Amino acid sequence: MKRTLPQSVALYSGLLLVFLIIGMPFWWVVSGSVKLPREIIARVPTMFPQSFTTQHFEKLFQSTDFPAYLVNSIGVALFSTIVTVALALPAAYAFFRMRFPGRNALYRLILLAYAFPTIVVLIPIYGLFAKVGLIDTRTSLVIVNIAFALPFSIWMMRSFLSTVPKEIEEAAIIDGAPARVILLRIMAPLIAPGIASVAIFTFIASWTEYLFASVLIVSDARRTVPVGFAGIIGQYQIDWGLLLAGATAATIPVVILFAFVGRWFVSGLTEGAVK
Amino acid sequence: MAGLSLKSVKKRFGNVEVVTGVDLTVENGEFLVFVGPSGCGKSTLLRMIAGLETVSEGRIEIGDKDVTHVDPAKRGIAMVFQTYALYPHMTVATNIGFPLEMAGLPQDEIDRKVAEAAKVLHLEPYLQRKPRELSGGQRQRVAIGRAIVRQPEVFLFDEPLSNLDAELRIQMRLEIARLHQELKSTMVYVTHDQVEAMTLATRIVVLRAGRIEQVGSPLDLYENPDNTFVAGFIGSPRMNFVKVRVVRVAEGFAFVSAEALGLSEIPVRLRGVEPESPPGDVTLGIRPEHFRDGGDGALSGIVSVVERLGGTSYVHAALNDGSQITVESRDPREHQVGRAHTFAFDPDSALLFGGDGKRL
């Protein structure tokens, strides 16, 4: 269908608006991180940096614990992501394919994990972890992140599995492939976009998780970026340059992740299979 | 290679019985075709043989071995799906070699067998391509390749040509026939296309509503259908059915009349036992190609459409009682739309069906 001029104008203005809403804060943070302090707090804000400095980044990486927080965060987020994907895939396949009593009830029940506000489950979880000696360990964060990401990941992956034509699976069954092989060699490559979505969802959720990280971790050396960084900014005085540099540095692993898994988001993975 | 037998096989989905007790024996090396309209249970039956669908009741044997509850992979079958069902992320060679890999064969043997299959199916230049880089016909050949490398006892085909265009369908039909002659394996083939059934089968099973209507060789079904359903389903264009009345029965013939159509006391040979009294209202079946000038019977009607196919033409006409008939004609010029015409036919090749649809 050919667009008329007003339609095109409306379309592109809409796109521009969305782009500005999403892009502006990001640009503000990134560009601010290389401005001199006086330009950051200038009465008339500057859209494009008039000055350039790396002093905020130098301070961030040399005189704060930010690098340690970054390593902690990357570790926690990566482990949470890997384990979540590794658990969600077989669980989703079981809910999708296997017949067992109470399957549908259980499938709905797992979403109950989201029924409670996190603050409500914080106390029992703290008590539980204290009993098994998990307080002040990064493992505790990994467990919590997995527990909260898994139900949604299972739902998401199951819906991706249901897009794979049944005949492909049946052909594999006739070819003598056991369930494990069907899942890993046939289904998993075909739902790569689903796995990528789950990975990104879990990584970001773990990366930005604040509440549990602030309560379950006690020692400074084990803090993750959101909690550790809140301490850096300062209780009485805000170092805006440091704040913006930290915020910029915190987005880098996520950007790298997107670049890495983005290529999985290709449509038409099953093209040629059944048509 | 082995034969196959189904013993009182039933399939229920909830309370609905979709296959209502099928008994059938397929001889070793036979090409058996299940044919029937949508929802007749032919695909379900095939899927039960494959093991993709459980059997609600009855027994399935492949080569004298009860496989009713055996895993699909251990039944000695291979299946070709309507939708090809190729593994899209694997190359043609990996697709064809996959069942061998699953069977734990060494790689060099897999490569050798894949190469053999590729040669038979003319797929050699495409072995390193992905399915999406192939045409529909090539994809279906890959699916067939994946089936033949396993050297199964029984090949199962679930409407394998339905996704192809008309020309490719004819070509692939020939390839499948050639494959059957070469491999001499038992093949069970499902289709709703009676032309495919007629051209490929050594025996056809006509199914309706989960029940076998008739089993026989293609020509047997064509010439000697047991009922109006089979008579109407086998043959294209379908058989014409005309309501007539039996006025008397004598010496193996029923004499039928239909005043409104201009038929009076036409003798039609009876197949079964001669009924003691005339059965009254019956159906006369005449195939479009059995109309010919000079025949003893004649139906008059008004030509509504003339389909010219080149060598032959189909003339569609409305009879006086409102029913429609299709007549094969060599010369379309003698029929003009809107004009009345008398279509003569040979009563020797006409069939008679009772009020319940069964052949008389």
Side-chain angles (χ1 to χ4, degrees), chain B residues 136-186:
Chain B
Q138 288 163 344
R139 286 176 197 172
Q140 196 53 288
R141 288 215 295 273
V142 176
I144 293 172
R146 194 171 58 184
I148 63 174
V149 287
R150 305 184 64 199
Q151 295 177 315
E153 308 211 41
V154 179
F155 278 95
L156 306 175
F157 292 90
D158 190 2
E159 306 209 21
L161 308 184
S162 301
N163 274 18
L164 304 178
D165 60 47
E167 201 179 328
L168 259 177
R169 207 176 302 167
I170 295 168
Q171 199 183 324
M172 283 302 293
R173 204 166 68 200
L174 287 173
E175 292 221 19
I176 291 175
R178 181 176 61 86
L179 205 67
H180 180 244
Q181 279 164 13
E182 264 175 43
L183 302 175
K184 300 194 171 24
S185 309
T186 310

Side-chain angles (χ1 to χ4, degrees), chain A residues 139-150:
Chain A
T139 312
S140 67
L141 295 185
V142 173
I143 294 173
V144 167
N145 288 333
I146 293 167
F148 281 101
L150 202 51

Side-chain angles (χ1 to χ4, degrees), chain B residues 245-262:
Chain B
R245 197 167 40 79
V246 177
V247 285
R248 66 189 167 92
V249 177
E251 294 163 7
F253 284 90
F255 292 81
V256 300
S257 292
E259 284 80 22
L261 307 175

Side-chain angles (χ1 to χ4, degrees), chain A residues 81 84-85 88 149 152-153 156-157 159-160 191-205 257-258 261-262 264-266:
Chain A
T81 305
T84 302
V85 169
F152 180 70
S153 302
M156 193 138 97
M157 243 183 261
S159 61
F160 271 95
I191 59 155
I195 295 176
S197 314
V198 165
I200 285 177
F201 164 75
T202 312
F203 191 90
I204 291 175
L257 178 78
F258 267 104
V261 297
W264 286 11
F265 283 97
V266 282

Side-chain angles (χ1 to χ4, degrees), chain A residues 21-61:
Chain A
I21 290 171
I22 296 167
M24 272 304 284
F26 192 72
W27 171 246
W28 203 254
V29 170
V30 175
S31 65
S33 70
V34 293
K35 288 176 186 170
L36 283 169
R38 65 165 185 280
E39 194 190 336
I40 299 174
I41 56 165
R43 202 172 285 268
V44 182
T46 51
M47 191 59 157
F48 299 98
Q50 307 292 310
S51 55
F52 179 81
T53 177
T54 56
Q55 68 177 64
H56 308 303
F57 285 97
E58 281 160 25
K59 190 175 168 192
L60 184 74
F61 283 97

Side-chain angles (χ1 to χ4, degrees), chain B residues 62 65 71-78 150-155:
Chain B
I62 295 176
K65 204 173 77 190
D71 277 348
K74 292 181 184 146
R75 293 188 177 203
I77 51 116
R150 305 184 64 199
Q151 295 177 315
E153 308 211 41
V154 179
F155 278 95

